[in-house]
Amino acid sequence: MPMLKIPGHERQRAREVSLDEIRAVLGDCRLCGLCETRTNIVFGVGSPNARVVLVGEAPGANEDAQGEPFVGQAGHLLDRMLSEQTRIERSEVYIANVLKCRPPGNRAPAPDEVMACSPFLREQIRSIWPDFIMTMGNPATHFILQTEVGITRLRGKVHRAGHFAVLPTFHPAAVLRDFGKLPDLEHDFYLLGQLLRGEVDPDDPTAGSAESMPGFRPSAPGEVLR
Ligand code: SF4
C-alpha cells in the first residue's frame, strides 16, 4: 500500500499524526473516479482516543447525503449493538469505511478504489492506535486481515494483525437483509464488550466460544428487529 505523506511529520509514528491533519491531506480528494458521483466525502466519526475502531465498506446513500458513516438503518442497528451488547456508546468508538466516497448503486468497491483510498484509513488507524479493530463485512475484513477468506468463516473469533486484535463480523446492512444473521452479530458485539472490559484475553483461542460467554443471550430465532 502506498504511504500517505503527512506534511510536517518525518516518521509518522503511531499516534503522532492527528485525524484533523489526515482530513486536511484528504481535502477534496480526486484520487479515484468515485469523486465524480459523490455528494460528500465521508471521512469518519468518533473519539480520537477510541480503544476500538469499527471499519465498514463504503458510504451508502444516507451517509453520502449527510457526510457521516452509519447514519441510516444500518447505523441504527450498529448503535443498538454497541449499547445493548457491547455496553458502550457510539461516541466512545471511532467509525470509518475503507472507501470515503459512495460507489454508485452501492456496488462493491473496485480494487483500484481500495488501493487509492485505503492509505487514508491506514493513517486514521495509526493516528488512533486502538487495541481492537472490528471489521464489518468482507471488504473491510479482507483489507485489514489481508485475506480472501469469507466473513462467515472468520467472524466470531479474534484474529491478530500486528499490534491489533481484529474481530470480524457481518456488516449490519447484511443483517438487515437476512435477520437470521442477527444472533451472530449480537454474539460478536458481546465479545467486543468482553474484550474491552478485559474479561477475556484476545489471544486466548477459546475467546468467543459458548463457554467463554455464559452471560450471552441472543435474540430468539426469527425475532423481528425493533
Ligand atoms: S473514494 Fe477515497 S480515493 Fe476515491 S475520491 Fe473518494 S476519498 Fe479519494
Side-chain angles (χ1 to χ4, degrees), residues 3 67-68 102 142 147 158 196-197 199 202:
M3 279 289 296
E68 184 171 328
R102 182 191 182 204
H142 292 170
T147 178
V158 186
L196 287 167
R197 293 188 296 274
E199 294 169 4

Side-chain angles (χ1 to χ4, degrees), residues 26-38 41 101 116 120:
L26 183 65
D28 184 37
C29 180
R30 310 193 73 77
L31 287 175
C32 82
L34 296 179
C35 66
E36 303 293 343
T37 50
R38 74 178 177 226
I41 290 178
C101 302
F120 297 106

Side-chain angles (χ1 to χ4, degrees), residues 170-216:
F170 292 121
H171 194 290
V175 177
L176 291 171
R177 291 191 295 270
D178 175 4
F179 289 167
K181 292 185 168 78
L182 180 61
D184 287 341
L185 190 73
E186 292 173 325
H187 168 282
D188 300 343
F189 276 86
Y190 186 94
L191 174 56
L192 176 62
Q194 288 185 302
L195 291 164
L196 287 167
R197 293 188 296 274
E199 294 169 4
V200 293
D201 180 346
D203 295 315
D204 181 344
T206 69
S209 66
E211 298 73 37
S212 74
M213 38 204 315
F216 173 58

Side-chain angles (χ1 to χ4, degrees), residues 3-190:
M3 279 289 296
L4 188 66
K5 182 77 186 81
I6 310 293
H9 296 279
E10 287 301 315
R11 305 282 296 276
Q12 296 184 203
R13 294 188 183 90
R15 294 193 175 134
E16 183 182 308
V17 176
S18 73
L19 292 168
D20 285 347
E21 289 174 295
I22 300 165
R23 181 65 187 88
V25 171
L26 183 65
D28 184 37
C29 180
R30 310 193 73 77
L31 287 175
C32 82
L34 296 179
C35 66
E36 303 293 343
T37 50
R38 74 178 177 226
T39 304
N40 285 298
I41 290 178
V42 181
F43 180 64
V45 69
S47 169
N49 308 117
R51 290 186 60 218
V52 56
V53 171
L54 303 171
V55 181
E57 177 177 330
N62 292 307
E63 290 78 15
D64 179 53
Q66 297 184 40
E68 184 171 328
F70 286 91
V71 290
Q73 272 193 306
H76 178 68
L77 178 56
L78 173 62
D79 293 349
R80 178 182 152 191
M81 290 297 108
L82 286 170
S83 61
E84 291 183 5
Q85 300 296 337
T86 312
R87 290 192 261 145
I88 58 175
E89 298 305 317
R90 180 184 176 100
S91 59
E92 297 176 72
V93 306
Y94 191 83
I95 309 172
N97 287 307
V98 176
L99 296 188
K100 310 301 186 212
C101 302
R102 182 191 182 204
N106 294 348
R107 64 161 170 74
D112 65 314
E113 293 160 355
V114 174
M115 178 75 80
C117 205
S118 55
F120 297 106
L121 175 63
R122 175 184 181 276
E123 292 305 323
Q124 285 173 293
I125 291 172
R126 283 179 51 76
S127 174
I128 298 165
W129 206 246
D131 297 321
F132 305 101
I133 299 174
M134 179 171 242
T135 57
M136 298 179 287
N138 272 318
T141 304
H142 292 170
F143 172 70
I144 295 292
L145 290 180
Q146 294 294 292
T147 178
E148 290 301 315
V149 177
I151 187 68
T152 304
R153 284 180 53 198
L154 293 172
R155 61 144 295 276
K157 297 185 282 285
V158 186
H159 303 258
R160 271 278 163 201
H163 162 83
F164 308 108
V166 180
L167 187 53
T169 192
F170 292 121
H171 194 290
V175 177
L176 291 171
R177 291 191 295 270
D178 175 4
F179 289 167
K181 292 185 168 78
L182 180 61
D184 287 341
L185 190 73
E186 292 173 325
H187 168 282
D188 300 343
F189 276 86
Y190 186 94

